[in-house]
Amino acid sequence: MVFDVVTSAAEYVRKIVEGCSGLKALLTDDETLSMIGLVYSQLEAYNKGVFLIEKLDTPRSEQMKHMKCLVFVRPNSTNLNILQRELASPKFGEYHIFFSNIVRKTLLEELADSDTSEVVNEVQEYFLDFYAVAPQLFHLNVLPCVLSASVENPILERLVDGISSLFLALKMRPFIRYDAHSQLCRFICERLSVRMDQENTLFDFRRRESNPVVLILDRMQDPLTPLITPWTYEAMIHELIGIKNNRVNLRHSPDARKGYQEVVLDPKQDGFYNVNRYKNYGDLGVNIKSLVDRFQEKARYNHSTSTIEDMMKFLEAYPELRSSSSEVNKHVTLMSELSRLVTSRHLMDVAQLEQDIACRNSLTEHQNQLFKMLQNPHIHIEDKFRLSLIYALRYEEVTQNRLGEIKDTLKKLGLSAERLQLFSSILRYGGNASRTSDIFQNKSILGIVRNTVRRGIVGVENVFAQHVPLIVHIIDDIMKGRLRETEFPFMIPPSGKNVPKEIIIFITGGVTYQESRAVALINGDSQTESEPEISAAANFAQSNGFRVILGGSTVHNSKSFLAEVSRVAYPWK
């Protein structure tokens, strides 16, 4: 069975679009439009007869009886009301209605009562209620995502809807484990367990060779990874510019030419991005140059049109040349903007200290370097602030940490009182008293050994890749059967020993592209030689047939993560 969120999502969209012949219109809501757009292009839909794509709530007066209407929406009361109005005065010849998740019986009855013209041809449940970003990554576009475990909270119900939809899309009923120190994680798991019991027939899938497992983890266990500057292509773009539904807004970039002020990063359509999305910053410069050189060779080859034969060859190659030109311009523009930001913000200097604080315990040295960085007028205030938060997380319990002086210095530099409050918020959210994880690899004997080995192996060439996200160690522990049940209990323990070959990790509070990259490397979807811990986990996973999917409430960069942390009033326990 396929263990790939993009393939599963795209298959549902294909069934919707290709399920009937003739001229078609596709009506969606805001969420389902984005879900479709991540896995299926407008051109693909057009080639299958979809000539109109609109929101369900768009006012329509024109009669289009010659077209079949495909409706794909979430099964909620808002969409039901709009559908009822549409069916009361149908504009299309027939309707094929697809809901993105389990539909309540009462909703179906109300919908049937509204179809007085008998134009509804079919109603189906297609379980695409999540955003499939990469084969190993999905999110639910849920903000705020730092939540209280309340039965009345509709956002929590959205998390349960999305995760259960993924189970159904992958045709699995996994064992459920959760972060024992998070009420939120336990609440989600309880609701997932109830959902699967209530819909027992839907979740009655053929048994697999090994039972899959889902682990619901709280972001508070690793508040460090979202704060660390990433140095790989996709993660850098999201951190420094921002990615939303595969789109990057470059309108504020001084080097973005007309036509490239918003670009799309679609690995299916963009070969360079597909190959390089997980590559580090140093390799990207070399690969961009190769891309430009290859394009120049093509352009020179097609330049001569002195004969009819030359003209014919040029016209045959022109679509490919134009596509190559667009790809080259897009990635040169992106790399130019990344380079500008890295240089203007002196991010290499900042990141080197970030990595050292994250991976090594040296209070006096780090204090001296941090105060020197705070006094540097060329470093952006937000980078000084983020660096100080990383320092605070490591040294919060050390008496001589001088956090008061650090905050006073930032205040004098112009940091607002609201931002300064984040020191308290992040320590309440993910400080030592709240988390049980060993993110600095200095609590457990295993962590200390890992950190010592890492420092012994890591060289100058990958000084920006020393920090390893917590999920790498968690995945390694799951694969080797050593993830402690006292820390991560099962909702219903399996009978006998169960080492799952298929692992889903869902992080309430959001994931990062850097964590997604680590999972892709573990799955063997990309290669790394300079990150020994990830390489070791990848070798073990691929030798023993493990696959991992990562999901989260949203995909964070440091800015969005700190915006969520600012909501925190009390630690999760």
Side-chain angles (χ1 to χ4, degrees):
M1 294 183 183
V2 175
F3 196 66
D4 173 332
V5 295
V6 169
T7 299
S8 297
E11 182 59 29
Y12 278 133
V13 180
R14 274 193 290 273
K15 286 181 179 179
I16 292 169
V17 171
E18 301 173 19
C20 61
S21 59
L23 299 179
K24 290 165 280 192
L26 175 61
L27 305 185
T28 70
D29 59 32
D30 286 332
E31 288 205 71
T32 55
L33 180 63
S34 297
M35 292 170 191
I36 290 172
L38 286 171
V39 298
Y40 204 85
S41 70
Q42 278 188 294
L43 180 60
E44 287 176 291
Y46 178 82
N47 288 336
K48 297 300 179 181
V50 178
F51 291 91
L52 176 67
I53 300 177
E54 281 187 343
K55 301 283 183 63
L56 177 63
D57 59 2
T58 301
R60 278 173 291 277
S61 56
E62 183 183 353
Q63 293 290 322
M64 293 172 275
K65 300 294 185 181
H66 60 293
M67 298 183 78
K68 298 172 182 176
C69 181
L70 314 175
V71 179
F72 181 53
V73 293
R74 298 199 68 241
N76 55 41
S77 56
T78 300
N79 287 331
L80 173 63
N81 292 336
I82 300 170
L83 266 173
Q84 287 175 317
R85 291 198 299 271
E86 175 72 26
L87 294 176
S89 178
K91 305 297 186 298
F92 299 93
E94 62 184 61
Y95 289 75
H96 301 256
I97 300 174
F98 306 92
F99 289 107
S100 66
N101 214 319
I102 299 168
V103 185
R104 289 180 288 106
K105 185 179 178 182
T106 53
L107 188 150
L108 286 174
E109 290 170 349
E110 291 178 57
L111 189 62
D113 291 342
S114 303
D115 185 24
T116 54
S117 302
E118 297 185 345
V119 290
V120 176
N121 187 280
E122 64 177 320
V123 178
Q124 300 274 4
E125 295 170 330
Y126 280 174
F127 304 107
L128 172 51
D129 209 7
F130 53 87
Y131 295 72
V133 180
Q136 79 289 348
L137 176 66
F138 74 98
H139 70 88
L140 301 179
N141 194 33
V142 167
L143 287 171
C145 55
V146 175
L147 305 166
S148 60
S150 166
V151 176
E152 291 78 24
N153 194 327
I155 296 178
L156 283 179
E157 196 63 25
R158 175 68 185 97
L159 295 181
V160 174
D161 287 345
I163 298 169
S164 59
S165 163
L166 181 80
F167 296 166
L168 291 167
L170 296 174
K171 297 178 172 54
M172 62 165 54
R173 182 171 184 154
F175 284 105
I176 302 173
R177 300 183 73 169
Y178 62 94
D179 183 347
H181 300 274
S182 169
Q183 284 186 354
L184 177 61
C185 290
R186 181 178 178 85
F187 182 87
I188 291 170
C189 289
E190 287 172 348
R191 296 301 294 268
L192 281 171
S193 187
V194 169
R195 177 74 57 87
M196 289 193 291
D197 287 342
Q198 288 175 339
E199 303 292 344
N200 189 53
T201 304
L202 276 177
F203 285 93
D204 185 18
F205 298 114
R206 181 166 56 86
R207 289 184 63 84
R208 300 182 180 224
E209 185 179 336
S210 69
N211 290 316
V213 68
V214 60
L215 171 65
I216 309 297
L217 184 68
D218 201 309
R219 179 78 265 170
M220 72 176 181
Q221 293 292 358
D222 181 8
L224 182 60
T225 296
L227 295 175
I228 297 282
T229 303
W231 289 93
T232 54
Y233 197 27
E234 179 179 55
M236 281 185 79
I237 293 170
H238 190 48
E239 174 63 24
L240 301 181
I241 308 170
I243 302 173
K244 185 174 182 180
N245 294 330
N246 283 355
R247 295 181 179 273
V248 181
N249 185 344
L250 288 163
R251 289 182 177 86
H252 299 294
S253 170
D255 298 324
R257 292 185 293 164
K258 187 176 180 180
Y260 294 93
Q261 294 181 330
E262 183 180 79
V263 298
V264 177
L265 296 174
D266 183 351
K268 301 189 303 299
Q269 311 291 331
D270 184 336
F272 182 85
Y273 180 63
N274 184 46
V275 171
N276 290 279
R277 67 194 299 185
Y278 304 129
K279 291 287 194 292
N280 66 54
Y281 187 59
D283 291 338
L284 282 169
V286 175
N287 294 349
I288 282 282
K289 185 180 184 306
S290 297
L291 179 69
V292 172
D293 290 345
R294 288 196 302 272
F295 173 72
Q296 287 178 332
E297 286 178 15
K298 284 183 183 178
R300 278 197 297 269
Y301 175 80
N302 288 293
H303 185 69
S304 174
T305 54
S306 56
T307 68
I308 294 294
E309 186 178 358
D310 287 338
M311 292 179 191
M312 291 299 292
K313 286 181 179 178
F314 175 77
L315 290 173
E316 287 172 4
Y318 181 71
E320 182 187 352
L321 188 65
R322 186 171 59 179
S323 175
S324 297
S325 172
S326 176
E327 188 174 296
V328 169
N329 274 300
K330 173 170 56 177
H331 291 291
V332 168
T333 301
L334 282 168
M335 277 299 291
S336 174
E337 179 63 4
L338 291 179
S339 177
R340 183 185 73 83
L341 292 169
V342 167
T343 302
S344 65
R345 289 168 55 176
H346 295 260
L347 285 178
M348 286 191 172
D349 295 331
V350 174
Q352 194 162 342
L353 183 53
E354 283 175 8
Q355 292 282 338
D356 203 50
I357 294 173
C359 300
R360 191 167 67 93
N361 194 63
S362 183
L363 176 64
T364 303
E365 183 182 348
H366 289 156
Q367 274 182 2
N368 293 336
Q369 289 178 316
L370 178 58
F371 276 105
K372 185 178 179 181
M373 198 75 73
L374 293 178
Q375 298 302 331
N376 187 335
H378 301 296
I379 306 295
H380 194 281
I381 183 67
E382 285 296 320
D383 294 320
K384 294 176 180 179
F385 173 53
R386 190 167 43 80
L387 189 56
S388 300
L389 291 176
I390 294 169
Y391 172 91
L393 282 168
R394 175 174 274 282
Y395 295 114
E396 63 170 306
E397 294 185 333
V398 179
T399 308
Q400 303 85 6
N401 60 29
R402 298 172 67 186
L403 275 178
E405 292 178 56
I406 291 168
K407 288 189 274 189
D408 287 342
T409 302
L410 287 167
K411 184 178 180 180
K412 289 174 184 175
L413 291 170
L415 196 69
S416 69
E418 183 182 353
R419 300 297 278 168
L420 287 169
Q421 183 60 36
L422 270 165
F423 277 95
S424 299
S425 296
I426 201 161
L427 294 179
R428 285 200 299 270
Y429 174 71
N432 271 325
S434 299
R435 70 175 192 270
T436 57
S437 60
D438 191 7
I439 57 172
F440 292 108
Q441 300 291 293
N442 60 1
K443 289 183 179 180
S444 66
I445 293 174
L446 179 60
I448 293 168
V449 169
R450 280 171 171 164
N451 202 25
T452 303
V453 170
R454 180 199 303 140
R455 292 208 311 271
I457 295 174
V458 171
V460 175
E461 73 279 0
N462 56 1
V463 69
F464 300 128
Q466 296 177 71
H467 169 68
V468 177
L470 175 68
I471 61 161
V472 173
H473 304 308
I474 288 176
I475 291 167
D476 195 48
D477 287 344
I478 293 174
M479 292 190 299
K480 294 174 180 175
R482 63 187 185 201
L483 191 69
R484 294 180 180 176
E485 287 192 38
T486 52
E487 300 292 321
F488 301 99
F490 287 90
M491 280 302 297
I492 301 175
S495 56
K497 189 174 182 180
N498 178 58
V499 179
K501 296 294 185 182
E502 295 165 322
I503 301 163
I504 300 172
I505 295 180
F506 184 87
I507 304 180
T508 65
V511 294
T512 68
Y513 279 118
Q514 202 64 359
E515 289 164 325
S516 169
R517 172 183 177 270
V519 171
L521 295 174
I522 289 171
N523 286 341
D525 297 335
S526 188
Q527 301 296 320
T528 180
E529 296 177 358
S530 59
E531 297 157 275
E533 288 175 83
I534 297 177
S535 294
N539 290 336
F540 187 85
Q542 292 158 43
S543 299
N544 293 279
F546 289 95
R547 294 287 294 179
V548 185
I549 286 174
L550 177 67
S553 312
T554 189
V555 181
H556 277 309
N557 54 22
S558 63
K559 183 178 179 181
S560 65
F561 174 64
L562 288 175
E564 287 298 300
V565 171
S566 69
R567 303 173 187 273
V568 175
Y570 305 101
W572 288 110
K573 287 186 179 178

